Amino acid sequence: MKNISYRNVTLNGGFLHEKQLLNEAVTMDAVYDRFCETGRIDAFKFEWTEGKENKPHFFWDSDVAKWMEAAAYILAKKKAPDIEAKLESLIDLIEKNQGEDGYFNIYFTVCEPEARYTDRSCHELYCAGHLFEAAVAYFEATGKDRFLRLMEKYADYIYKVFIEDKSAAFVTPGHEEIELALVRMYRATGKKKYLELALFFINSRGSEENNELKPEEVPLYTQSHTPVRKQTTADGHSVRACYLYSAMADLACETDDKELFDACKTIFDNIVNKRMYITGGIGSTRLGETFTIDYDLPNSKAYAETCAAISLMFFAQRMLQLENDARYADICERVLYNGMISGLSLDGKSFFYENPLEIDKRNYIKFPSKYNREKFAITQRVGVFTCSCCPPNLNRVLASVADYIYGYDKDTVYINQFASSVAEFDGMKISQKTDYPKSGKIKINTQNVKKLCIRIPSWCKSFGINVEYKTEKGYAVIENINGEIEVDFAMEPVLIQSNIEVYENSGKAAVCCGPYVCAAESVDNIENLHSLFIDKAFCAKAYYDEELCGYVLRVKGFKKVTDSSLYSSYSENYEDYTIRMIPYASFANRGESNMCVWINVR
Amino acid sequence: MKNISYRNVTLNGGFLHEKQLLNEAVTMDAVYDRFCETGRIDAFKFEWTEGKENKPHFFWDSDVAKWMEAAAYILAKKKAPDIEAKLESLIDLIEKNQGEDGYFNIYFTVCEPEARYTDRSCHELYCAGHLFEAAVAYFEATGKDRFLRLMEKYADYIYKVFIEDKSAAFVTPGHEEIELALVRMYRATGKKKYLELALFFINSRGSEENNELKPEEVPLYTQSHTPVRKQTTADGHSVRACYLYSAMADLACETDDKELFDACKTIFDNIVNKRMYITGGIGSTRLGETFTIDYDLPNSKAYAETCAAISLMFFAQRMLQLENDARYADICERVLYNGMISGLSLDGKSFFYENPLEIDKRNYIKFPSKYNREKFAITQRVGVFTCSCCPPNLNRVLASVADYIYGYDKDTVYINQFASSVAEFDGMKISQKTDYPKSGKIKINTQNVKKLCIRIPSWCKSFGINVEYKTEKGYAVIENINGEIEVDFAMEPVLIQSNIEVYENSGKAAVCCGPYVCAAESVDNIENLHSLFIDKAFCAKAYYDEELCGYVLRVKGFKKVTDSSLYSSYSENYEDYTIRMIPYASFANRGESNMCVWINVR
């Protein structure tokens, strides 16, 4: 299938709509303002010289480019003169400061002009990729082609350097991104050379010459350990990995490359069956921000970068388009409601980079020396990071989140995500009236739609549809549409276990409710969340909480009590205790708190 | 009480005796040979010059001194010409190379002569302390006073530098040890200045001038954050800490210093009630090898250095002597049978520095880069370490282990540890006939003993004694001794929980049997020990295993089974499973294996 573009879809209620509005009203400015304060915006003036503050970093172009991409999406749907002015001003600076040869990179022009294309690990092509994505987005959003033309010139230059002259000191980028961006450039311009360049990067990856890395790195870190078609597990830096896999899926689609498609499928299965947190987070360690090994999913040490969750959704969305299988849209939903949106505070102003599944405040005080301590994720969101990739990534995903709702394949329309919305496309019209995710009741109306496929969420154990349907690849398929379709997905709390190979979760379970993964915070319970046990005869009541953007739960359970001894005879001394839980993504919005997703069961 | 010296006690059977014999037959040579290979023995020739291999390290003197101390203990009880020759040869070299002023330190004479007493963190006084202990031990063991006289000269020099001239760049040592050694010197020589010097170090500790440390260190690291009498928790480097507390207890005893005694008691309680592993191990993190905070007792990340367990036993033994309370002897037993002896392989040739309570082999393969990974304890013992303090510490403790069996206070004799043995002292004679710890049956015979106190082990839930007794401070007190006393401590497997504040152990329990803490290894079970659950209706059978030096158990339990999904609906799908357990201290003697002490319960 292809997705029905966000440009053709209007959200009008529910969780995703609220987050989209928050992004437009608050988060866009919050990110831009922090980028001003940190010098990222001024850097585009190319005026930095040695001795001045705010020396440009080699990844800054990409931070701002993602914000520009988000701005473009917003401008497609509404007038936003302030955002437009900021965006145009940045494009002015890009036009002014772009090299005559087409090259554009702040750091490698202003700070280290002699080092252009000498260091594979310096995100040079990654920055280019994000600029390309922003340019395509702006062109598609508004029809204005100035930015796209500038970036075509840049892409042509990169083509020359890497394909014609082979004059760079490396063959493929250390941080993938340009590959998928080049596919977007190809789709927007029709220029086959961009597809060729993307394929060149993909096909060259994992050859020996790509393995020259910094000593602390390994080829696995950048997915350069073996040719991509031979890779069978998700490895290395998780964001790089999923950007790569997304490009592989794009190219499998564009070139009908079965081998590439098979590799994507094998890797995707490896992620979701063995290396993904229940929140949709990926990346089990902060050391290298990498995937580790199957079933290694530590909770308090989870890295689960916001960008990594986003990158997994990108990959899942592309696999969905290749396979028309609802299980991919399930992953998108898991990410959207949990491991991605946890990166954004409820007020829209601050961000997590890491999204752990457990917070123990004791971990932050237990090391006597601040110079010699284990590192754990921060416990309260902040406005900007030194490496501030996640905030603008949230900007662009939320601004274009309507992209994930509907798909089409010839005369079949797919409902992949549930949200009150209207889509108009190619003479067809489809709408959802629903308060989803508050309830699972959805009324669907269509015009000129012959066949409708409605995703049956994997979390849903029982549902009703008021018309005849068959099920296929996770969808309820409705062939003869006649009037309003009513769907009701029962949204009940459920108790979930992880595979016993996830050592960290043995004896424990998580609670989910509809698309939400739940978490217990000490602010709602007691300080020691490890003394709590969920009753295995699971009994929970759910209430929708507008402020916490999802279900809050009261779960029947117990509190274990021990005497003051450090060690004593084992006892079954439990008191009844009602465990209060909130949506995982809303954790850490009410001050410092212990938190956990996985809780003991008895 | 005072202990009846090992010189007056002959072990003739059981666990401690076997380990003592192993030490004499194997471990002493194993340590000496490795010290030869690594240059530690040759270093005493003071012949190293720049460019040669095996540059002396500033703690090498102490490694060898501990071996010398062990040699002295052995020579007190038997002829061992080879050990005596090695020891005398080392004393020859010390005599030859000692400075005219009395100073003796290999590193600061051979490598950095201009830096004497300039760097508080360089173990200079620590090395001196270990040499003093060895010299006292040799004098007391054999009556030969050559080594002691050399060390008196050295101690006099240190007195001059630190008390009279105050010419050192620091006031107290960064690594405690000399304090307790000076008390031993005082007791052996009667020279009050040694007691004075020990008190000076103790009383000066925690004054501001002691806080000048390396930037990565904190005053807490060396217990220099506050005057020792004001310290209430066990903090910083755990070996340093307990060497300090041992000296404090010694000085409280020698000077009747109530304040010092109270500090010792408060700190001891903090350790055993909040900061000690069930094995008697201490030190919750490898980062600084330190205590952390109350109830922070991670298992796979436990540091629990062999030396730290030993140092805790030193502290406990001194507290026992101050208070005549069996609870201190309980801690000695816990250390002797578990967290200390785990440092030695069953063949007596190799060593652990760290003694974790859990081994997950996956932790060692999960990081893609060897330059960027979390560190965990080694999983197989080795012959020598770069910092090889633990092996000779085991040598000296095992050679003098009979020190821990009996105590006396006027006409009362205490049995603190159980072991087939005979003690003759001051016209009294006492013997234990027992196969302890194989069983808890002990036959005790005495001559000229008026009052006998037999420790009732804290692990023992039921026991019988064939004579009248009252209980006091954990001892069975027998006043009218008439013939053989028969004691029977029921040695049954028990299920132990930890305080619920130990987050890592919530939902779990440990199994103990008599003095033994038990562990499950995957070599006896299945790879995934986290899938195992002990039946809360605890049922276990114990068999004594000579090869594994203790009880092996079969514990009724379950194995949880899940399908191949990463996440699925919670199920109570368990199979019956008999969990096999071995003595914790014997883990890692049969190849690489997962291991855990704390196991899920249901």
Side-chain angles (χ1 to χ4, degrees):
Chain A
M1 74 178 76
K2 288 186 173 171
N3 64 313
I4 297 181
S5 165
Y6 75 96
R7 296 188 302 277
N8 302 98
V9 179
T10 302
L11 291 171
N12 51 42
F15 181 90
L16 298 178
H17 183 53
E18 282 165 24
K19 295 298 180 187
Q20 190 182 59
L21 292 176
L22 183 71
N23 183 51
E24 288 170 15
V26 178
T27 314
M28 284 296 290
D29 283 350
V31 171
Y32 187 88
D33 291 349
R34 299 297 87 69
F35 283 1
C36 281
E37 288 161 16
T38 54
R40 280 170 168 84
I41 302 296
D42 275 351
F44 279 75
K45 295 180 182 162
F46 282 52
E47 287 172 355
W48 184 86
T49 51
E50 202 63 61
K52 285 192 189 168
E53 64 177 355
N54 293 333
K55 180 176 179 178
H57 194 283
F58 60 68
F59 50 58
W60 274 8
D61 307 29
S62 68
D63 290 347
V64 177
K66 277 182 277 192
W67 185 91
M68 295 172 76
E69 186 183 340
Y73 296 136
I74 290 169
L75 293 170
K77 300 285 287 182
K78 64 169 66 171
K79 290 214 184 298
D82 177 55
I83 283 181
E84 187 173 15
K86 285 170 177 162
L87 178 53
E88 284 288 342
S89 155
L90 282 161
I91 298 169
D92 289 344
L93 290 170
I94 291 170
E95 184 164 26
K96 179 179 167 198
N97 293 311
Q98 184 172 25
E100 289 200 3
D101 52 9
Y103 185 77
F104 182 88
N105 183 292
I106 302 172
Y107 178 84
F108 284 103
T109 304
V110 170
C111 304
E112 253 196 301
E114 73 293 348
R116 191 188 287 191
Y117 300 129
T118 58
D119 189 342
R120 186 178 177 230
S121 62
C122 276
H123 294 27
E124 212 168 352
L125 296 174
Y126 167 83
C127 286
H130 278 301
L131 287 164
F132 295 173
E133 287 206 83
V136 170
Y138 197 41
F139 170 68
E140 292 179 345
T142 61
K144 294 187 191 174
D145 70 352
R146 178 170 67 129
F147 191 13
L148 183 63
R149 297 299 157 231
L150 300 175
M151 289 303 108
E152 279 183 67
K153 197 175 164 195
Y154 188 9
D156 292 345
Y157 173 72
I158 294 172
Y159 181 90
K160 181 171 182 295
V161 168
F162 283 82
I163 302 277
E164 291 170 0
D165 300 350
K166 299 193 185 303
S167 56
F170 53 89
V171 179
T172 68
H175 195 316
E176 300 92 326
E177 153 64 23
I178 194 170
E179 301 86 345
L180 71 84
L182 284 165
V183 177
R184 287 187 79 171
M185 287 287 278
Y186 159 67
R187 288 172 178 166
T189 63
K191 286 194 186 171
K192 285 238 169 188
K193 66 193 294 189
Y194 300 149
L195 194 64
E196 185 195 340
L197 182 55
L199 268 170
F200 169 78
F201 285 137
I202 291 287
N203 291 337
S204 305
R205 198 159 206 88
S207 64
E208 249 179 69
E209 63 217 315
N210 292 323
N211 294 345
E212 293 152 21
L213 293 160
K214 295 186 175 172
E216 72 276 14
E217 292 172 0
V218 289
L220 202 74
Y221 174 69
T222 55
Q223 301 76 43
S224 305
H225 51 299
T226 195
V228 299
R229 286 173 184 74
K230 298 227 162 77
Q231 297 187 21
T232 55
T233 51
D235 289 302
H237 186 278
S238 54
V239 179
R240 299 176 198 222
C242 284
Y243 283 180
L244 167 66
Y245 309 147
S246 295
M248 286 163 62
D250 280 339
L251 291 167
C253 176
E254 292 295 341
T255 65
D256 263 333
D257 186 327
K258 176 73 165 50
E259 218 184 345
L260 210 47
F261 169 76
D262 288 343
C264 287
K265 195 163 172 178
T266 304
I267 292 168
F268 190 89
D269 285 350
N270 176 249
I271 295 174
V272 301
N273 294 334
K274 293 177 179 169
R275 301 189 175 192
M276 179 188 73
Y277 287 96
I278 193 169
T279 56
I282 52 173
S284 295
T285 176
R286 67 155 53 230
L287 299 171
E289 311 182 326
T290 58
F291 287 102
T292 57
I293 55 173
D294 290 349
Y295 302 115
D296 177 46
L297 294 163
N299 292 314
S300 61
K301 288 253 175 166
Y303 199 67
E305 183 186 338
T306 306
C307 283
I310 290 172
S311 73
L312 174 59
M313 185 168 68
F314 288 170
F315 183 26
Q317 177 78 348
R318 283 159 171 87
M319 292 304 290
L320 172 66
Q321 292 172 357
L322 281 165
E323 286 217 87
N324 294 3
D325 189 324
R327 76 190 192 97
Y328 298 109
D330 283 331
I331 297 298
C332 291
E333 186 177 61
R334 189 179 288 277
V335 169
L336 282 169
Y337 286 80
N338 302 287
M340 177 192 90
I341 205 67
S342 56
L344 183 64
S345 62
L346 292 175
D347 69 7
K349 292 178 184 169
S350 57
F351 307 90
F352 275 142
Y353 195 103
E354 293 166 68
N355 297 273
L357 277 77
E358 183 170 320
I359 300 280
D360 279 338
K361 287 186 287 178
R362 297 196 321 201
N363 285 334
Y364 300 82
I365 58 161
K366 72 187 199 185
F367 299 101
S369 165
K370 68 177 174 179
Y371 300 101
N372 198 15
R373 54 176 47 185
E374 274 182 65
K375 288 191 178 131
F376 291 89
I378 58 172
T379 59
Q380 295 288 286
R381 294 173 186 82
V382 297
V384 68
F385 304 95
T386 307
C387 175
S388 210
C389 47
C390 300
N393 224 350
L394 281 164
N395 285 146
R396 65 175 181 145
V397 169
L398 292 175
S400 60
V401 73
D403 258 349
Y404 296 85
I405 314 297
Y406 300 99
Y408 69 97
D409 188 5
K410 299 186 192 101
D411 54 2
T412 303
V413 169
Y414 291 83
I415 299 184
N416 294 316
Q417 302 301 334
F418 306 104
S420 205
S421 58
V422 180
E424 288 183 277
F425 173 76
D426 205 16
M428 297 183 286
K429 187 171 176 183
I430 179 164
S431 71
Q432 297 180 56
K433 276 193 186 167
T434 176
D435 60 355
Y436 188 94
K438 191 167 177 177
S439 86
K441 293 187 212 305
I442 303 150
K443 290 181 180 175
I444 298 159
N445 284 282
T446 62
Q447 287 174 23
N448 301 327
V449 173
K450 289 201 179 141
K451 187 172 159 187
L452 182 66
C453 295
I454 303 167
R455 178 171 66 95
I456 305 161
S458 60
W459 51 259
C460 184
K461 301 302 165 205
S462 85
F463 63 95
I465 299 178
N466 70 335
V467 296
E468 203 179 325
Y469 67 93
K470 60 179 181 178
T471 58
E472 200 178 316
K473 288 185 172 180
Y475 289 97
V477 181
I478 300 162
E479 301 258 13
N480 298 306
I481 304 171
N482 185 11
E484 189 170 72
I485 300 166
E486 290 182 28
V487 184
D488 188 359
F489 299 119
M491 205 175 280
E492 295 291 331
V494 287
L495 195 60
I496 301 293
Q497 67 187 5
S498 55
N499 191 294
I500 196 64
E501 290 301 318
V502 183
Y503 292 175
E504 179 116 349
N505 297 342
S506 81
K508 302 188 176 196
V511 176
C512 296
C513 186
Y516 293 101
V517 173
C518 301
E521 280 198 306
S522 56
V523 68
D524 296 314
N525 294 283
I526 51 175
E527 208 55 18
N528 181 356
L529 299 173
H530 294 264
S531 68
L532 302 182
F533 291 69
I534 296 171
D535 189 340
K536 66 187 175 189
F538 185 60
C539 175
K541 284 184 183 164
Y543 310 85
Y544 198 81
D545 185 299
E546 301 289 347
E547 280 184 21
L548 290 170
C549 292
Y551 280 102
V552 298
L553 274 72
R554 292 188 185 179
V555 181
K556 189 169 177 297
F558 310 97
K559 183 178 79 163
K560 176 146 186 173
V561 179
T562 59
D563 65 21
S564 65
S565 325
L566 185 51
Y567 303 110
S568 58
S569 291
Y570 181 80
S571 78
E572 286 274 317
N573 190 6
Y574 292 91
E575 294 172 358
D576 287 347
Y577 189 91
T578 301
I579 303 169
R580 286 160 191 263
M581 302 188 79
I582 62 162
Y584 164 76
S586 299
F587 85 94
N589 275 285
R590 296 167 299 163
E592 293 270 333
S593 191
N594 288 334
M595 180 276 288
C596 61
V597 169
W598 293 96
I599 298 177
N600 286 312
V601 180
R602 72 179 282 261
Chain B
M1 74 177 76
K2 289 187 173 171
N3 65 312
I4 297 182
S5 165
Y6 75 96
R7 295 188 302 278
N8 302 97
V9 179
T10 302
L11 292 170
N12 51 42
F15 181 89
L16 298 178
H17 183 53
E18 282 163 26
K19 296 297 181 188
Q20 190 183 59
L21 292 176
L22 182 71
N23 183 50
E24 289 171 13
V26 177
T27 314
M28 285 295 290
D29 283 350
V31 171
Y32 187 89
D33 291 349
R34 297 297 87 70
F35 283 2
C36 282
E37 289 161 13
T38 54
R40 279 169 168 84
I41 302 297
D42 275 350
F44 279 74
K45 295 179 181 163
F46 282 51
E47 288 171 356
W48 183 86
T49 51
E50 203 62 62
K52 283 191 189 170
E53 63 177 355
N54 293 334
K55 180 176 180 178
H57 194 282
F58 60 68
F59 50 58
W60 275 8
D61 307 30
S62 68
D63 291 345
V64 176
K66 277 183 276 190
W67 184 91
M68 294 171 76
E69 185 183 341
Y73 297 135
I74 289 168
L75 293 170
K77 300 286 286 183
K78 62 169 65 170
K79 287 211 184 304
D82 177 55
I83 283 179
E84 187 173 15
K86 285 170 177 161
L87 178 53
E88 284 289 341
S89 156
L90 282 162
I91 298 170
D92 289 344
L93 289 170
I94 291 170
E95 185 164 28
K96 180 179 166 200
N97 293 310
Q98 185 172 25
E100 288 198 5
D101 52 9
Y103 184 78
F104 182 87
N105 183 291
I106 302 171
Y107 178 84
F108 284 102
T109 304
V110 169
C111 304
E112 254 196 301
E114 73 293 349
R116 193 187 286 191
Y117 300 129
T118 57
D119 188 343
R120 185 178 178 231
S121 63
C122 274
H123 293 28
E124 213 168 351
L125 296 174
Y126 167 83
C127 285
H130 278 300
L131 286 164
F132 295 172
E133 287 206 84
V136 170
Y138 196 42
F139 170 69
E140 291 179 345
T142 62
K144 295 186 190 174
D145 70 353
R146 178 171 66 127
F147 191 14
L148 183 62
R149 297 298 157 234
L150 300 175
M151 290 304 108
E152 281 184 67
K153 196 174 164 197
Y154 187 10
D156 292 344
Y157 174 72
I158 294 171
Y159 181 90
K160 182 170 180 297
V161 168
F162 283 83
I163 302 278
E164 291 171 359
D165 300 349
K166 299 194 186 302
S167 56
F170 52 90
V171 179
T172 68
H175 194 317
E176 300 92 326
E177 151 66 22
I178 195 168
E179 301 86 346
L180 70 85
L182 284 166
V183 177
R184 288 187 77 171
M185 287 286 279
Y186 160 68
R187 288 171 180 166
T189 64
K191 286 193 185 172
K192 285 239 170 189
K193 64 192 296 188
Y194 301 149
L195 195 64
E196 185 195 339
L197 183 55
L199 269 170
F200 169 79
F201 285 137
I202 291 287
N203 291 336
S204 306
R205 198 159 208 88
S207 65
E208 248 179 68
E209 63 217 316
N210 291 322
N211 294 346
E212 291 153 22
L213 293 162
K214 296 185 175 175
E216 71 277 14
E217 292 171 1
V218 290
L220 201 75
Y221 173 69
T222 55
Q223 301 76 44
S224 304
H225 51 299
T226 195
V228 300
R229 287 172 184 75
K230 299 226 160 79
Q231 298 187 21
T232 55
T233 51
D235 288 303
H237 187 277
S238 54
V239 179
R240 300 176 197 220
C242 284
Y243 283 180
L244 166 66
Y245 310 146
S246 296
M248 287 163 63
D250 279 340
L251 291 167
C253 176
E254 292 295 340
T255 65
D256 264 333
D257 185 328
K258 176 73 165 50
E259 217 184 345
L260 209 46
F261 168 76
D262 288 343
C264 286
K265 196 163 169 175
T266 303
I267 292 168
F268 189 88
D269 286 349
N270 175 249
I271 295 175
V272 302
N273 293 333
K274 292 178 180 169
R275 300 189 177 192
M276 179 188 72
Y277 287 96
I278 192 170
T279 57
I282 51 173
S284 296
T285 177
R286 66 156 52 231
L287 299 171
E289 311 183 328
T290 58
F291 288 102
T292 56
I293 56 173
D294 290 349
Y295 302 115
D296 176 45
L297 295 163
N299 292 315
S300 61
K301 289 251 175 168
Y303 199 67
E305 184 185 338
T306 306
C307 283
I310 290 172
S311 72
L312 174 60
M313 185 168 69
F314 288 170
F315 183 26
Q317 177 77 348
R318 284 160 170 84
M319 292 305 290
L320 172 66
Q321 292 171 358
L322 283 165
E323 285 218 86
N324 295 4
D325 190 324
R327 75 190 192 97
Y328 298 108
D330 283 330
I331 298 296
C332 292
E333 186 177 62
R334 190 180 287 278
V335 169
L336 282 169
Y337 286 81
N338 302 287
M340 176 191 90
I341 206 66
S342 57
L344 183 63
S345 61
L346 292 176
D347 69 6
K349 293 178 182 167
S350 58
F351 307 90
F352 275 142
Y353 196 102
E354 293 164 71
N355 296 273
L357 277 76
E358 183 169 320
I359 299 279
D360 279 338
K361 288 186 288 179
R362 298 198 316 203
N363 285 334
Y364 299 82
I365 58 161
K366 73 187 199 186
F367 298 102
S369 165
K370 68 178 175 180
Y371 301 101
N372 199 15
R373 53 176 48 184
E374 274 182 65
K375 286 189 179 133
F376 291 88
I378 57 172
T379 59
Q380 295 288 286
R381 295 172 184 83
V382 297
V384 68
F385 303 94
T386 307
C387 175
S388 209
C389 47
C390 300
N393 225 350
L394 281 165
N395 285 147
R396 67 177 181 144
V397 169
L398 291 174
S400 60
V401 73
D403 259 350
Y404 296 85
I405 314 297
Y406 300 100
Y408 68 98
D409 188 6
K410 299 183 193 103
D411 53 4
T412 303
V413 169
Y414 291 83
I415 299 183
N416 294 317
Q417 303 301 334
F418 307 104
S420 205
S421 59
V422 180
E424 289 182 279
F425 173 76
D426 205 18
M428 297 184 286
K429 188 172 175 181
I430 179 163
S431 71
Q432 297 180 56
K433 274 193 188 168
T434 176
D435 60 356
Y436 189 94
K438 190 166 177 176
S439 87
K441 292 186 211 305
I442 304 151
K443 291 181 179 176
I444 299 158
N445 282 283
T446 63
Q447 287 174 23
N448 302 327
V449 173
K450 288 204 179 137
K451 187 172 159 188
L452 182 66
C453 295
I454 305 166
R455 177 171 66 96
I456 306 161
S458 60
W459 51 258
C460 184
K461 302 301 163 203
S462 86
F463 63 94
I465 301 178
N466 70 336
V467 296
E468 205 179 324
Y469 67 92
K470 59 179 180 178
T471 57
E472 201 177 314
K473 288 186 174 178
Y475 289 96
V477 182
I478 300 162
E479 303 257 12
N480 299 305
I481 304 172
N482 185 11
E484 188 170 77
I485 300 167
E486 291 182 26
V487 183
D488 189 0
F489 298 119
M491 204 173 281
E492 295 291 330
V494 288
L495 196 61
I496 302 293
Q497 68 188 6
S498 54
N499 191 293
I500 196 64
E501 290 301 319
V502 183
Y503 291 174
E504 178 116 350
N505 297 341
S506 80
K508 301 188 178 199
V511 176
C512 295
C513 185
Y516 294 100
V517 173
C518 301
E521 281 199 305
S522 56
V523 67
D524 295 314
N525 294 284
I526 51 176
E527 209 54 19
N528 181 355
L529 299 172
H530 294 265
S531 67
L532 302 182
F533 290 69
I534 296 171
D535 190 340
K536 64 188 177 188
F538 184 60
C539 176
K541 285 185 181 163
Y543 310 85
Y544 198 81
D545 184 301
E546 300 290 347
E547 280 182 21
L548 290 171
C549 292
Y551 280 102
V552 297
L553 274 72
R554 293 187 187 180
V555 181
K556 189 169 174 299
F558 311 96
K559 183 177 79 164
K560 174 146 186 174
V561 179
T562 59
D563 65 19
S564 64
S565 324
L566 184 51
Y567 303 111
S568 58
S569 290
Y570 180 81
S571 78
E572 285 273 317
N573 189 6
Y574 291 92
E575 294 171 359
D576 287 347
Y577 188 92
T578 302
I579 304 168
R580 286 159 191 264
M581 301 188 79
I582 63 163
Y584 164 75
S586 299
F587 85 92
N589 275 284
R590 296 168 299 163
E592 292 271 334
S593 192
N594 288 334
M595 180 275 289
C596 61
V597 169
W598 293 96
I599 299 176
N600 286 313
V601 180
R602 73 179 283 261

